mmCIF file of all heavy atoms in Angstrom:
data_model
loop_
_atom_site.group_PDB
_atom_site.id
_atom_site.type_symbol
_atom_site.label_atom_id
_atom_site.label_comp_id
_atom_site.label_asym_id
_atom_site.label_seq_id
_atom_site.Cartn_x
_atom_site.Cartn_y
_atom_site.Cartn_z
ATOM 1 N N ASP A 6 -14.181 17.004 -34.416
ATOM 2 C CA ASP A 6 -12.859 16.970 -33.813
ATOM 3 C C ASP A 6 -12.372 18.393 -33.589
ATOM 4 O O ASP A 6 -11.626 18.950 -34.367
ATOM 5 C CB ASP A 6 -11.903 16.185 -34.730
ATOM 6 C CG ASP A 6 -10.549 15.952 -34.081
ATOM 7 O OD1 ASP A 6 -10.387 16.370 -32.925
ATOM 8 O OD2 ASP A 6 -9.673 15.367 -34.724
ATOM 9 N N GLN A 7 -12.838 19.008 -32.513
ATOM 10 C CA GLN A 7 -12.438 20.378 -32.222
ATOM 11 C C GLN A 7 -11.044 20.451 -31.609
ATOM 12 O O GLN A 7 -10.391 21.477 -31.650
ATOM 13 C CB GLN A 7 -13.434 21.018 -31.266
ATOM 14 C CG GLN A 7 -14.853 21.042 -31.806
ATOM 15 C CD GLN A 7 -15.797 21.624 -30.779
ATOM 16 O OE1 GLN A 7 -15.718 22.776 -30.444
ATOM 17 N NE2 GLN A 7 -16.697 20.800 -30.277
ATOM 18 N N ARG A 8 -10.608 19.356 -31.016
ATOM 19 C CA ARG A 8 -9.344 19.375 -30.301
ATOM 20 C C ARG A 8 -8.174 19.176 -31.245
ATOM 21 O O ARG A 8 -7.138 19.807 -31.122
ATOM 22 C CB ARG A 8 -9.352 18.278 -29.226
ATOM 23 C CG ARG A 8 -8.078 18.187 -28.421
ATOM 24 C CD ARG A 8 -8.279 17.295 -27.213
ATOM 25 N NE ARG A 8 -9.318 17.831 -26.359
ATOM 26 C CZ ARG A 8 -9.832 17.191 -25.322
ATOM 27 N NH1 ARG A 8 -9.434 15.972 -25.039
ATOM 28 N NH2 ARG A 8 -10.764 17.739 -24.584
ATOM 29 N N GLY A 9 -8.288 18.283 -32.198
ATOM 30 C CA GLY A 9 -7.185 17.996 -33.102
ATOM 31 C C GLY A 9 -6.321 16.880 -32.554
ATOM 32 O O GLY A 9 -6.061 16.792 -31.357
ATOM 33 N N ALA A 10 -5.879 16.000 -33.427
ATOM 34 C CA ALA A 10 -5.069 14.851 -33.004
ATOM 35 C C ALA A 10 -3.602 15.256 -33.017
ATOM 36 O O ALA A 10 -2.910 15.149 -34.033
ATOM 37 C CB ALA A 10 -5.330 13.672 -33.933
ATOM 38 N N TRP A 11 -3.113 15.739 -31.886
ATOM 39 C CA TRP A 11 -1.709 16.143 -31.760
ATOM 40 C C TRP A 11 -0.921 14.922 -31.330
ATOM 41 O O TRP A 11 -1.230 14.282 -30.325
ATOM 42 C CB TRP A 11 -1.585 17.276 -30.756
ATOM 43 C CG TRP A 11 -0.256 17.957 -30.774
ATOM 44 C CD1 TRP A 11 0.378 18.485 -31.861
ATOM 45 C CD2 TRP A 11 0.597 18.197 -29.656
ATOM 46 N NE1 TRP A 11 1.567 19.058 -31.503
ATOM 47 C CE2 TRP A 11 1.728 18.885 -30.143
ATOM 48 C CE3 TRP A 11 0.510 17.909 -28.298
ATOM 49 C CZ2 TRP A 11 2.774 19.292 -29.315
ATOM 50 C CZ3 TRP A 11 1.544 18.311 -27.479
ATOM 51 C CH2 TRP A 11 2.667 18.992 -27.978
ATOM 52 N N LEU A 12 0.136 14.596 -32.058
ATOM 53 C CA LEU A 12 0.813 13.315 -31.885
ATOM 54 C C LEU A 12 1.907 13.306 -30.823
ATOM 55 O O LEU A 12 2.418 12.238 -30.498
ATOM 56 C CB LEU A 12 1.425 12.880 -33.229
ATOM 57 C CG LEU A 12 0.417 12.528 -34.322
ATOM 58 C CD1 LEU A 12 1.123 12.355 -35.656
ATOM 59 C CD2 LEU A 12 -0.342 11.262 -33.955
ATOM 60 N N PHE A 13 2.281 14.480 -30.289
ATOM 61 C CA PHE A 13 3.352 14.491 -29.286
ATOM 62 C C PHE A 13 2.758 14.138 -27.926
ATOM 63 O O PHE A 13 2.752 14.924 -26.984
ATOM 64 C CB PHE A 13 4.015 15.864 -29.259
ATOM 65 C CG PHE A 13 5.482 15.836 -28.891
ATOM 66 C CD1 PHE A 13 6.260 16.965 -29.032
ATOM 67 C CD2 PHE A 13 6.091 14.689 -28.419
ATOM 68 C CE1 PHE A 13 7.606 16.970 -28.706
ATOM 69 C CE2 PHE A 13 7.429 14.664 -28.089
ATOM 70 C CZ PHE A 13 8.191 15.817 -28.236
ATOM 71 N N ALA A 14 2.259 12.904 -27.824
ATOM 72 C CA ALA A 14 1.451 12.490 -26.679
ATOM 73 C C ALA A 14 2.168 12.528 -25.331
ATOM 74 O O ALA A 14 1.536 12.812 -24.314
ATOM 75 C CB ALA A 14 0.879 11.089 -26.921
ATOM 76 N N PRO A 15 3.473 12.207 -25.226
ATOM 77 C CA PRO A 15 4.094 12.262 -23.896
ATOM 78 C C PRO A 15 3.985 13.616 -23.211
ATOM 79 O O PRO A 15 4.054 13.710 -21.987
ATOM 80 C CB PRO A 15 5.562 11.903 -24.186
ATOM 81 C CG PRO A 15 5.514 11.078 -25.420
ATOM 82 C CD PRO A 15 4.399 11.677 -26.240
ATOM 83 N N LEU A 16 3.794 14.684 -23.993
ATOM 84 C CA LEU A 16 3.724 16.018 -23.406
ATOM 85 C C LEU A 16 2.356 16.350 -22.847
ATOM 86 O O LEU A 16 2.232 17.211 -21.979
ATOM 87 C CB LEU A 16 4.114 17.083 -24.442
ATOM 88 C CG LEU A 16 5.599 17.460 -24.474
ATOM 89 C CD1 LEU A 16 6.448 16.276 -24.877
ATOM 90 C CD2 LEU A 16 5.824 18.630 -25.414
ATOM 91 N N VAL A 17 1.301 15.700 -23.329
ATOM 92 C CA VAL A 17 -0.039 16.075 -22.896
ATOM 93 C C VAL A 17 -0.804 14.924 -22.248
ATOM 94 O O VAL A 17 -1.890 15.138 -21.715
ATOM 95 C CB VAL A 17 -0.871 16.630 -24.073
ATOM 96 C CG1 VAL A 17 -0.276 17.920 -24.602
ATOM 97 C CG2 VAL A 17 -0.974 15.601 -25.191
ATOM 98 N N SER A 18 -0.261 13.731 -22.280
ATOM 99 C CA SER A 18 -0.940 12.607 -21.640
ATOM 100 C C SER A 18 -0.796 12.691 -20.124
ATOM 101 O O SER A 18 0.117 13.344 -19.610
ATOM 102 C CB SER A 18 -0.362 11.279 -22.147
ATOM 103 O OG SER A 18 -0.611 11.108 -23.521
ATOM 104 N N ALA A 19 -1.693 12.030 -19.425
ATOM 105 C CA ALA A 19 -1.662 12.004 -17.961
ATOM 106 C C ALA A 19 -1.437 10.575 -17.491
ATOM 107 O O ALA A 19 -2.018 9.633 -18.034
ATOM 108 C CB ALA A 19 -2.963 12.545 -17.386
ATOM 109 N N THR A 20 -0.605 10.419 -16.483
ATOM 110 C CA THR A 20 -0.335 9.100 -15.908
ATOM 111 C C THR A 20 -0.936 9.027 -14.510
ATOM 112 O O THR A 20 -0.746 9.938 -13.700
ATOM 113 C CB THR A 20 1.174 8.816 -15.854
ATOM 114 O OG1 THR A 20 1.687 8.855 -17.193
ATOM 115 C CG2 THR A 20 1.460 7.457 -15.267
ATOM 116 N N ILE A 21 -1.652 7.954 -14.242
ATOM 117 C CA ILE A 21 -2.373 7.767 -12.987
ATOM 118 C C ILE A 21 -1.830 6.524 -12.298
ATOM 119 O O ILE A 21 -1.760 5.451 -12.916
ATOM 120 C CB ILE A 21 -3.881 7.588 -13.250
ATOM 121 C CG1 ILE A 21 -4.427 8.781 -14.045
ATOM 122 C CG2 ILE A 21 -4.652 7.386 -11.952
ATOM 123 C CD1 ILE A 21 -5.780 8.503 -14.677
ATOM 124 N N ALA A 22 -1.425 6.646 -11.053
ATOM 125 C CA ALA A 22 -0.981 5.481 -10.285
ATOM 126 C C ALA A 22 -2.202 4.741 -9.758
ATOM 127 O O ALA A 22 -3.111 5.349 -9.178
ATOM 128 C CB ALA A 22 -0.081 5.910 -9.128
ATOM 129 N N LEU A 23 -2.234 3.443 -9.953
ATOM 130 C CA LEU A 23 -3.330 2.615 -9.467
ATOM 131 C C LEU A 23 -2.946 1.995 -8.132
ATOM 132 O O LEU A 23 -1.791 1.605 -7.925
ATOM 133 C CB LEU A 23 -3.657 1.514 -10.481
ATOM 134 C CG LEU A 23 -3.999 2.004 -11.895
ATOM 135 C CD1 LEU A 23 -4.319 0.821 -12.808
ATOM 136 C CD2 LEU A 23 -5.160 2.982 -11.878
ATOM 137 N N GLU A 24 -3.915 1.900 -7.250
ATOM 138 C CA GLU A 24 -3.653 1.357 -5.911
ATOM 139 C C GLU A 24 -3.115 -0.067 -6.012
ATOM 140 O O GLU A 24 -3.546 -0.858 -6.858
ATOM 141 C CB GLU A 24 -4.942 1.359 -5.095
ATOM 142 C CG GLU A 24 -4.742 0.964 -3.638
ATOM 143 C CD GLU A 24 -6.037 1.031 -2.851
ATOM 144 O OE1 GLU A 24 -7.109 1.084 -3.468
ATOM 145 O OE2 GLU A 24 -5.967 1.040 -1.608
ATOM 146 N N ASP A 25 -2.155 -0.386 -5.148
ATOM 147 C CA ASP A 25 -1.583 -1.732 -5.129
ATOM 148 C C ASP A 25 -2.659 -2.764 -4.834
ATOM 149 O O ASP A 25 -3.566 -2.522 -4.031
ATOM 150 C CB ASP A 25 -0.480 -1.837 -4.078
ATOM 151 C CG ASP A 25 0.749 -1.011 -4.434
ATOM 152 O OD1 ASP A 25 0.927 -0.707 -5.632
ATOM 153 O OD2 ASP A 25 1.531 -0.682 -3.519
ATOM 154 N N ASP A 26 -2.549 -3.904 -5.480
ATOM 155 C CA ASP A 26 -3.440 -5.021 -5.189
ATOM 156 C C ASP A 26 -2.915 -5.734 -3.950
ATOM 157 O O ASP A 26 -1.757 -6.174 -3.910
ATOM 158 C CB ASP A 26 -3.491 -5.984 -6.381
ATOM 159 C CG ASP A 26 -4.658 -6.953 -6.279
ATOM 160 O OD1 ASP A 26 -4.725 -7.684 -5.270
ATOM 161 O OD2 ASP A 26 -5.491 -6.983 -7.212
ATOM 162 N N ARG A 27 -3.729 -5.842 -2.934
ATOM 163 C CA ARG A 27 -3.282 -6.378 -1.639
ATOM 164 C C ARG A 27 -3.158 -7.894 -1.618
ATOM 165 O O ARG A 27 -2.759 -8.475 -0.601
ATOM 166 C CB ARG A 27 -4.244 -5.930 -0.536
ATOM 167 C CG ARG A 27 -4.332 -4.405 -0.409
ATOM 168 C CD ARG A 27 -5.342 -3.982 0.633
ATOM 169 N NE ARG A 27 -5.463 -2.532 0.695
ATOM 170 C CZ ARG A 27 -6.288 -1.886 1.517
ATOM 171 N NH1 ARG A 27 -7.076 -2.570 2.336
ATOM 172 N NH2 ARG A 27 -6.336 -0.566 1.498
ATOM 173 N N ARG A 28 -3.477 -8.547 -2.714
ATOM 174 C CA ARG A 28 -3.449 -10.011 -2.725
ATOM 175 C C ARG A 28 -2.075 -10.577 -3.046
ATOM 176 O O ARG A 28 -1.902 -11.803 -3.056
ATOM 177 C CB ARG A 28 -4.474 -10.530 -3.739
ATOM 178 C CG ARG A 28 -5.909 -10.225 -3.363
ATOM 179 C CD ARG A 28 -6.864 -10.597 -4.471
ATOM 180 N NE ARG A 28 -6.740 -9.728 -5.641
ATOM 181 C CZ ARG A 28 -7.464 -9.854 -6.735
ATOM 182 N NH1 ARG A 28 -8.363 -10.833 -6.829
ATOM 183 N NH2 ARG A 28 -7.305 -9.013 -7.744
ATOM 184 N N GLY A 29 -1.096 -9.719 -3.299
ATOM 185 C CA GLY A 29 0.237 -10.208 -3.600
ATOM 186 C C GLY A 29 0.332 -10.931 -4.924
ATOM 187 O O GLY A 29 1.015 -11.959 -5.046
ATOM 188 N N LEU A 30 -0.337 -10.401 -5.951
ATOM 189 C CA LEU A 30 -0.337 -11.035 -7.254
ATOM 190 C C LEU A 30 1.024 -10.895 -7.929
ATOM 191 O O LEU A 30 1.793 -9.968 -7.647
ATOM 192 C CB LEU A 30 -1.400 -10.394 -8.145
ATOM 193 C CG LEU A 30 -2.847 -10.414 -7.652
ATOM 194 C CD1 LEU A 30 -3.751 -9.732 -8.677
ATOM 195 C CD2 LEU A 30 -3.323 -11.834 -7.385
ATOM 196 N N THR A 31 1.313 -11.802 -8.831
ATOM 197 C CA THR A 31 2.481 -11.650 -9.684
ATOM 198 C C THR A 31 2.202 -10.536 -10.693
ATOM 199 O O THR A 31 1.042 -10.169 -10.915
ATOM 200 C CB THR A 31 2.794 -12.950 -10.432
ATOM 201 O OG1 THR A 31 1.741 -13.195 -11.384
ATOM 202 C CG2 THR A 31 2.909 -14.130 -9.470
ATOM 203 N N PRO A 32 3.245 -9.994 -11.343
ATOM 204 C CA PRO A 32 2.994 -8.956 -12.346
ATOM 205 C C PRO A 32 2.064 -9.419 -13.465
ATOM 206 O O PRO A 32 1.201 -8.657 -13.913
ATOM 207 C CB PRO A 32 4.397 -8.640 -12.879
ATOM 208 C CG PRO A 32 5.318 -9.028 -11.776
ATOM 209 C CD PRO A 32 4.683 -10.201 -11.101
ATOM 210 N N VAL A 33 2.218 -10.653 -13.906
ATOM 211 C CA VAL A 33 1.366 -11.158 -14.978
ATOM 212 C C VAL A 33 -0.078 -11.291 -14.501
ATOM 213 O O VAL A 33 -1.019 -10.949 -15.218
ATOM 214 C CB VAL A 33 1.905 -12.495 -15.507
ATOM 215 C CG1 VAL A 33 0.882 -13.188 -16.410
ATOM 216 C CG2 VAL A 33 3.200 -12.272 -16.276
ATOM 217 N N GLU A 34 -0.275 -11.763 -13.268
ATOM 218 C CA GLU A 34 -1.631 -11.857 -12.716
ATOM 219 C C GLU A 34 -2.247 -10.469 -12.572
ATOM 220 O O GLU A 34 -3.429 -10.270 -12.876
ATOM 221 C CB GLU A 34 -1.602 -12.571 -11.366
ATOM 222 C CG GLU A 34 -1.279 -14.049 -11.459
ATOM 223 C CD GLU A 34 -1.065 -14.684 -10.095
ATOM 224 O OE1 GLU A 34 -0.749 -13.936 -9.133
ATOM 225 O OE2 GLU A 34 -1.182 -15.926 -9.981
ATOM 226 N N ARG A 35 -1.449 -9.502 -12.108
ATOM 227 C CA ARG A 35 -1.959 -8.134 -11.969
ATOM 228 C C ARG A 35 -2.380 -7.586 -13.336
ATOM 229 O O ARG A 35 -3.443 -6.953 -13.475
ATOM 230 C CB ARG A 35 -0.879 -7.228 -11.360
ATOM 231 C CG ARG A 35 -1.337 -5.759 -11.157
ATOM 232 C CD ARG A 35 -2.142 -5.626 -9.903
ATOM 233 N NE ARG A 35 -2.850 -4.362 -9.798
ATOM 234 C CZ ARG A 35 -2.342 -3.218 -9.326
ATOM 235 N NH1 ARG A 35 -1.075 -3.178 -8.941
ATOM 236 N NH2 ARG A 35 -3.086 -2.144 -9.216
ATOM 237 N N ALA A 36 -1.553 -7.822 -14.334
ATOM 238 C CA ALA A 36 -1.877 -7.345 -15.674
ATOM 239 C C ALA A 36 -3.162 -7.979 -16.186
ATOM 240 O O ALA A 36 -4.011 -7.302 -16.782
ATOM 241 C CB ALA A 36 -0.713 -7.653 -16.620
ATOM 242 N N ALA A 37 -3.331 -9.267 -15.950
ATOM 243 C CA ALA A 37 -4.536 -9.959 -16.420
ATOM 244 C C ALA A 37 -5.786 -9.419 -15.736
ATOM 245 O O ALA A 37 -6.835 -9.256 -16.373
ATOM 246 C CB ALA A 37 -4.397 -11.462 -16.180
ATOM 247 N N THR A 38 -5.699 -9.143 -14.433
ATOM 248 C CA THR A 38 -6.872 -8.597 -13.742
ATOM 249 C C THR A 38 -7.202 -7.198 -14.231
ATOM 250 O O THR A 38 -8.381 -6.818 -14.311
ATOM 251 C CB THR A 38 -6.665 -8.575 -12.215
ATOM 252 O OG1 THR A 38 -5.569 -7.707 -11.880
ATOM 253 C CG2 THR A 38 -6.387 -9.973 -11.672
ATOM 254 N N LEU A 39 -6.191 -6.408 -14.598
ATOM 255 C CA LEU A 39 -6.457 -5.071 -15.123
ATOM 256 C C LEU A 39 -7.140 -5.147 -16.488
ATOM 257 O O LEU A 39 -8.037 -4.345 -16.796
ATOM 258 C CB LEU A 39 -5.157 -4.272 -15.214
ATOM 259 C CG LEU A 39 -4.550 -3.837 -13.876
ATOM 260 C CD1 LEU A 39 -3.171 -3.233 -14.081
ATOM 261 C CD2 LEU A 39 -5.463 -2.849 -13.152
ATOM 262 N N LEU A 40 -6.736 -6.092 -17.312
ATOM 263 C CA LEU A 40 -7.426 -6.286 -18.589
ATOM 264 C C LEU A 40 -8.874 -6.714 -18.348
ATOM 265 O O LEU A 40 -9.791 -6.253 -19.045
ATOM 266 C CB LEU A 40 -6.706 -7.336 -19.433
ATOM 267 C CG LEU A 40 -5.317 -6.941 -19.957
ATOM 268 C CD1 LEU A 40 -4.702 -8.091 -20.740
ATOM 269 C CD2 LEU A 40 -5.402 -5.691 -20.827
ATOM 270 N N HIS A 41 -9.073 -7.574 -17.338
ATOM 271 C CA HIS A 41 -10.440 -7.960 -16.973
ATOM 272 C C HIS A 41 -11.226 -6.734 -16.506
ATOM 273 O O HIS A 41 -12.399 -6.559 -16.860
ATOM 274 C CB HIS A 41 -10.402 -9.020 -15.873
ATOM 275 C CG HIS A 41 -11.747 -9.323 -15.286
ATOM 276 N ND1 HIS A 41 -12.602 -10.252 -15.821
ATOM 277 C CD2 HIS A 41 -12.391 -8.795 -14.200
ATOM 278 C CE1 HIS A 41 -13.715 -10.293 -15.098
ATOM 279 N NE2 HIS A 41 -13.606 -9.417 -14.107
ATOM 280 N N GLY A 42 -10.577 -5.870 -15.702
ATOM 281 C CA GLY A 42 -11.248 -4.668 -15.220
ATOM 282 C C GLY A 42 -11.623 -3.731 -16.346
ATOM 283 O O GLY A 42 -12.702 -3.129 -16.344
#
C-alpha cells in the first residue's frame, strides 16, 4: 500500500457521466442494468 488509504474521498475521487440509455428505461431499470453491467 504505497498510496495510503486517505479517507477524505470527495476531494480525490473522480465522477464519470455515463451515456444515457436510449431505451427510455425507468430509473430502477437503469440501476438494475448497471448492476448487471
Side-chain angles (χ1 to χ4, degrees):
D6 187 2
Q7 301 177 66
R8 179 168 300 171
W11 193 53
L12 293 170
F13 211 170
L16 269 64
V17 296
S18 296
T20 300
I21 304 164
L23 304 181
E24 187 178 16
D25 292 338
D26 195 302
R27 300 177 183 179
R28 294 173 291 180
L30 302 180
T31 68
V33 168
E34 290 172 338
R35 181 81 193 275
T38 63
L39 289 172
L40 292 178
H41 171 87

